[in-house]
Amino acid sequence: MTGRELLYALINAAILFGGLFFLTRGLIRKALRGRREQIREELTQAERSAAQVQSVCQEAARIGQEAAQKEQLLQEETRRQIQEENRLAEEQCRRERDAVLSEAVEAEVQLRKQMHHYFRGGAVAKITRRAGELFSTEQYAPAREKLQDACLASMEEQISVSAGDELVMRQTGKLCVTLESAAPLHPARTEQLRRAICRRFGIDRAEGSPELCWTEQVDEKHIGGVRLQVGDTVYDGTVAHRLNRLAHDAALDTGDQADDLLEDVRRFLLRGDEVLDVYQVGRVVNLSDGICHVTGLSDAMAGEMLAFEGGLRGLVMDLEQDRVGVVLLGDYTHIQEGDAARRTGHILEVPVGEALIGRVVDALGRPLDGRGAIRAAAYRPVESPAPGVPERQSVSVPLQTGIKAIDALVPIGRGQRELIIGDRQTGKTTIALDTILNQKGKNVLCIYVAIGQKESTVAGVVQMLQEHGAMAYTTVVCAAASEPAPMLYIAPYAGTAIGEYFMYGGRDVLIVYDDLTKQAAAYREISLLLHRPPGREAYPGDVFYLHSRLLERSARLSDALGGGSMTALPVIETQAGDISAYIPTNVISITDGQIFLETALFHEGVRPAVNVGLSVSRVGGAAQIGAMKQVAARLRMDLAQYRELSVFAQFGSDLDQSTKSALLQGERMTAILKQDRSAPVETLDQVIVIFATAEGYARDVPVAEMARFERELIPYARHRLPEVYAAMERGEKLYGKNLTDLRSCIEAFLKQF
């Protein structure tokens, strides 16, 4: 091949390779570009997949966390349910155990009483009979003669002239004397005693002098000794009388801690120097419905206690010229006409002291709860004078009831007398009992006087107080409907005497009279049976004095007397809401205000059914803390306005916006004042709830949700406003930073409600 051919061959090869290069370069570039895009898409897909994997991992972690939380909540709920079931089971077991234990204790107490009564009554009766038989034998003849001489000598020294005997002697012109003995007396000794009596009574043989009617009797039943009766006064030194007194006193003493029988006999035998028992005796001339008339007690005092057969006590209420009217305090079925009644020389008293706290007693202070005898610190008359004006001080310390409608609208202070009045079954007793429950931990002793109620009702009240721990500071005085009218009449005075012991000791007392209507009816029954003239509604003219001398004893004493107080909550039942009846108007005029419960409101579901217009407290804001006085200032006016608008709204269909707003606000205020029974609310919590509602913060809360609004707001505010609560407890009003914090707290609560 020539050089030219070779050159041409090389040029052709170069042209071929250049053409191929230019042809394949686009294809290669295109292929590379496609591969690059594919790789980029794969990278994007990989990033997307990684993000999805991360999202799935996060979702899995969230689901796992929620599952763990749900598991924890489920475990807590299960644990709570188990604890609640265990608590309920333990409480049920405790109740059953307590019920069985209570029944066993009561059965044991009753058995002990029966055994003790049988032992002391039966055994002492046998001992006294045997002693009488032995003393009647010949070997004790010198002792009998010595006892007769001692009795006659003591009679000559102790004979005295009573005012009643002297009056009877002047009216009748004679003095009746009866001398009884177990064996014939020596004429010289009887004549000596006769001259002593004539000398003491100024009887001589002159014309116009009173006549001495002398009677001598010999009766072997006296066993030994002498018995002399001069007019109504008896000088008894017989062995039979002393042994009978011993048996009687022993049979009456049925307490679990009573002294041993032998100790009683020993003390009886050691009283050898007490030869005579001097007392005045009368005779029952008629008896009916717990009332009797007794003749022969011309020296008896009004309010004095008389002793009848069987340990029965009576209270002298009427003093007539030739007889006294007596109300019998207890079962009188064994009393008959002609039975003896002897003076005790004491007015009616009841035991008082710390031993009565937590006990259930009757109107005479005797235990009814089966827990044994009461060892009282002292005795106090059931009726005593009320403190005078210089001995009192103004009411300024609140007594919180725990009821919003009362603490805000009709506040009660310590030492005040606030009447609870309304028809039957309107919640009067509930208010009184809730007030007692609210005194827990407030250093206030409570006394609940149940007058004329069924025993089952009183038992339910006592059980409720025990369940809430209120019996630890409460005494219940019960005069049941089955008891005679005199017991219902005495019960409020007995409860007041128990409370006065603590009041004069510088302590605060709350006493509830439930209710005084039944006491007035019992007093009317007693008065009519005593033939006192009836007046308005058949009540005697002194029925106002019945309640005034009772309620005036409640007061707040001055600091010089210890500063104690007794707050009275009398309950009066009306008929068809008639507060203008005799007894309601009497008690309204005595007390310092009234809480009127309206039947219509009760049926509408308002609890408590307090009528704002007719309820009033004459102490007012003096018995409120500063914060409550501040937030409740407009409450009464707003509620009264709501009552008026609600009446007109029933007849109008087109109401303006302001009227609708006032109605809605009134509905919420009424709803927030509703309250369940046995659920008192602390005063500071009441302030928070009333403030939030009165200021319009609850305007968007449905009326049906107001109870939940209150229930959740209270713990929320307590947790976040400790400084505000502390300021209110010191008596400060809501202003400045405290007011701002309170508003902020309520606004924050509403955002999450």
Side-chain angles (χ1 to χ4, degrees):
M1 180 178 294
T2 61
R4 182 175 292 187
E5 292 176 350
L6 181 61
L7 179 63
Y8 285 141
L10 291 172
I11 293 171
N12 289 333
I15 293 171
L16 178 61
F17 280 112
L20 290 175
F21 174 76
F22 284 108
L23 289 175
T24 58
R25 185 180 65 177
L27 294 176
I28 293 172
R29 185 179 297 171
K30 186 177 181 181
L32 291 175
R33 187 184 300 111
R35 182 60 179 168
R36 191 182 300 114
E37 292 178 356
Q38 183 179 1
I39 292 173
R40 187 181 295 114
E41 290 179 357
E42 290 178 356
L43 290 174
T44 304
Q45 184 66 27
E47 292 176 355
R48 190 180 298 113
S49 299
Q52 290 179 353
V53 170
Q54 184 178 3
S55 177
V56 170
C57 292
Q58 292 177 352
E59 182 67 18
R62 186 183 63 80
I63 294 175
Q65 185 177 3
E66 291 180 354
Q69 292 177 353
K70 289 182 179 179
E71 181 180 2
Q72 184 178 1
L73 292 175
L74 182 60
Q75 290 178 354
E76 292 179 356
E77 182 66 22
T78 304
R79 190 182 304 110
R80 190 181 301 109
Q81 290 180 356
I82 293 175
Q83 292 177 352
E84 182 67 17
E85 291 177 357
N86 292 337
R87 187 186 66 79
L88 293 176
E90 291 177 359
E91 185 176 355
Q92 181 66 20
C93 293
R94 180 179 58 79
R95 289 181 179 177
E96 293 178 356
R97 183 185 68 245
D98 292 345
V100 174
L101 182 61
S102 177
E103 292 177 359
V105 171
E106 184 177 358
E108 181 183 1
V109 169
Q110 295 298 330
L111 182 60
R112 285 178 178 273
K113 285 186 176 182
Q114 293 176 2
M115 294 177 62
H116 194 76
H117 181 78
Y118 173 78
F119 174 72
R120 297 186 69 86
V124 173
K126 290 182 179 179
I127 291 176
T128 54
R129 286 197 301 269
R130 182 57 180 164
E133 294 173 357
L134 290 175
F135 199 79
S136 301
T137 59
E138 285 297 326
Q139 68 182 72
Y140 288 99
R144 291 198 301 270
E145 294 180 1
K146 184 178 180 181
L147 178 61
Q148 283 184 353
D149 294 339
C151 288
L152 292 173
S154 181
M155 288 175 182
E156 293 178 7
E157 295 177 358
Q158 297 188 31
I159 289 176
S160 60
V161 182
S162 66
D165 290 339
E166 185 175 5
L167 178 62
V168 172
M169 185 176 63
R170 290 180 180 179
Q171 291 177 346
T172 60
K174 60 181 179 180
L175 177 65
C176 296
V177 178
T178 302
L179 182 64
E180 300 178 4
S181 60
L185 300 175
H186 195 279
R189 293 305 309 272
T190 57
E191 181 62 26
Q192 184 178 350
L193 177 62
R194 179 172 180 162
R195 288 197 300 268
I197 295 175
C198 292
R199 184 169 59 255
R200 294 287 176 85
F201 282 84
I203 300 176
D204 53 30
R205 300 183 182 276
E207 185 178 355
S209 175
E211 177 186 359
L212 178 64
C213 299
W214 183 274
T215 303
E216 291 188 31
Q217 296 178 358
V218 177
D219 194 342
E220 295 181 355
K221 70 177 182 180
H222 293 309
I223 303 175
V226 181
R227 181 182 186 274
L228 174 67
Q229 180 170 351
V230 181
D232 298 334
T233 306
V234 177
Y235 305 85
D236 202 330
T238 61
V239 176
H241 173 74
R242 297 186 66 183
L243 293 177
N244 288 336
R245 287 294 304 275
L246 173 63
H248 179 262
D249 294 342
L252 284 180
D253 189 3
T254 58
D256 294 336
Q257 302 178 359
D259 294 334
D260 188 78
L261 172 63
L262 296 179
E263 181 65 19
D264 284 346
V265 175
R266 185 183 68 84
R267 288 199 305 266
F268 167 74
L269 295 176
L270 289 177
R271 293 200 305 264
D273 56 334
E274 299 178 8
V275 178
L276 294 181
D277 183 13
V278 182
Y279 57 91
Q280 287 190 334
V281 66
R283 296 291 172 181
V284 177
V285 293
N286 59 55
L287 171 70
S288 65
D289 298 322
I291 302 295
C292 72
H293 287 88
V294 179
T295 60
L297 298 179
S298 52
D299 289 323
M301 304 176 292
E304 183 181 356
M305 295 295 297
L306 302 184
F308 293 84
E309 295 294 334
L312 178 66
R313 293 292 185 264
L315 179 67
V316 177
M317 288 194 64
D318 267 4
L319 299 178
E320 302 179 16
Q321 184 174 1
D322 56 345
R323 62 181 186 177
V324 295
V326 183
V327 295
L328 302 177
L329 305 176
D331 183 14
Y332 56 88
T333 54
H334 63 283
I335 301 298
Q336 299 178 355
E337 294 183 5
D339 286 353
R342 54 178 293 176
R343 290 184 59 194
T344 62
H346 300 283
I347 62 175
L348 181 59
E349 297 177 327
V350 292
V352 295
E354 300 286 341
L356 276 86
I357 299 177
R359 302 299 301 270
V360 182
V361 298
D362 65 1
L364 299 180
R366 299 174 297 194
L368 297 176
D369 49 11
R371 293 169 51 191
I374 296 176
R375 300 302 174 184
Y379 282 81
R380 189 174 181 88
V382 296
E383 296 212 43
S384 59
V389 175
E391 300 171 340
R392 301 172 181 248
Q393 61 176 313
S394 60
V395 176
S396 58
V397 180
L399 187 137
Q400 309 293 351
T401 65
I403 303 173
K404 292 168 288 186
I406 295 177
D407 290 340
L409 299 174
V410 281
I412 302 173
R414 298 190 181 185
Q416 186 178 346
R417 300 154 299 175
E418 185 76 8
L419 172 64
I420 303 175
I421 186 171
D423 287 357
R424 185 175 179 271
Q425 297 294 329
T426 53
K428 301 185 296 299
T429 301
T430 300
I431 289 179
L433 294 179
D434 286 352
T435 304
I436 293 177
L437 296 182
N438 195 55
Q439 306 313 310
K440 188 174 183 179
K442 294 181 173 59
N443 197 25
V444 177
L445 299 176
C446 300
I447 301 172
Y448 179 76
V449 184
I451 310 168
Q453 301 183 27
K454 295 187 295 184
E455 294 179 355
S456 59
T457 303
V458 180
V461 170
V462 174
Q463 181 179 1
M464 187 273 292
L465 294 175
Q466 290 175 341
E467 292 175 352
H468 290 82
M471 280 302 293
Y473 54 88
T474 303
T475 301
V476 177
V477 180
C478 176
S482 59
E483 297 189 27
M487 299 294 282
L488 276 64
Y489 156 68
I490 288 296
Y493 299 101
T496 305
I498 296 173
E500 281 180 331
Y501 172 83
F502 299 108
M503 178 181 71
Y504 285 102
R507 305 178 69 175
D508 294 317
V509 180
L510 169 66
I511 183 167
V512 176
Y513 306 106
D514 191 10
D515 64 67
L516 293 185
T517 309
K518 294 184 176 64
Q519 187 210 17
Y523 186 70
R524 173 173 58 186
E525 177 182 344
I526 294 172
S527 300
L528 294 178
L529 290 171
L530 289 172
H531 300 161
R532 293 180 178 175
R536 177 180 168 186
E537 299 179 21
Y539 286 102
D542 61 341
V543 72
F544 180 87
Y545 184 54
L546 170 76
H547 290 149
S548 63
R549 73 177 189 267
L550 170 69
L551 297 174
E552 287 294 334
R553 294 161 68 178
S554 298
R556 185 183 177 206
L557 299 178
S558 63
D559 293 334
L561 294 178
S565 69
M566 184 160 61
T567 307
L569 294 181
V571 177
I572 290 292
E573 180 180 314
T574 57
Q575 302 292 331
D578 183 14
I579 62 175
S580 63
Y582 191 29
I583 299 302
T585 53
N586 280 349
V587 183
I588 286 175
S589 63
I590 297 169
T591 52
D592 305 315
Q594 67 273 351
I595 301 170
F596 181 71
L597 304 181
E598 188 175 355
T599 306
L601 292 177
F602 185 85
H603 293 325
E604 291 175 6
V606 179
R607 306 285 195 278
V610 178
N611 185 308
V612 179
L614 296 178
S615 300
V616 64
S617 173
R618 297 186 179 94
V619 175
Q624 287 179 315
I625 62 174
M628 177 63 81
K629 188 176 180 180
Q630 177 185 1
V631 301
R634 293 178 48 196
L635 186 58
R636 180 184 293 273
M637 185 179 299
D638 291 342
L639 288 175
Q641 182 182 9
Y642 164 68
R643 298 292 182 196
E644 293 182 3
L645 292 177
S646 62
V647 173
F648 288 105
Q650 298 176 359
F651 305 101
S653 58
D654 188 13
L655 302 176
D656 56 61
Q657 188 61 34
S658 62
T659 303
K660 292 181 180 179
S661 300
L663 288 172
L664 292 175
Q665 177 69 4
E667 290 178 0
R668 288 176 176 81
M669 292 303 303
T670 303
I672 207 66
L673 292 179
K674 292 182 181 180
Q675 194 167 335
D676 295 332
R677 62 184 305 174
S678 302
V681 181
E682 288 294 331
T683 306
L684 304 183
D685 296 333
Q686 296 181 28
V687 173
I688 300 297
V689 173
I690 294 175
F691 176 83
T693 309
E695 292 294 317
Y697 287 101
R699 56 180 173 271
D700 296 329
V701 179
V703 177
E705 295 291 325
M706 290 302 296
R708 185 170 69 89
F709 172 79
E710 174 189 0
R711 190 168 57 250
E712 297 179 5
L713 174 60
I714 291 176
Y716 186 90
R718 274 192 172 273
H719 178 69
R720 287 164 176 77
L721 299 174
E723 297 84 2
V724 176
Y725 271 82
M728 290 191 297
E729 194 168 2
R730 291 193 299 268
E732 299 178 7
K733 293 186 177 181
L734 297 171
Y735 60 91
K737 183 178 182 299
N738 290 336
L739 183 59
T740 303
D741 292 344
L742 177 57
R743 293 183 182 275
S744 301
C745 177
I746 297 175
E747 292 172 356
F749 169 76
L750 289 173
K751 292 179 180 179
Q752 70 167 24
F753 178 69

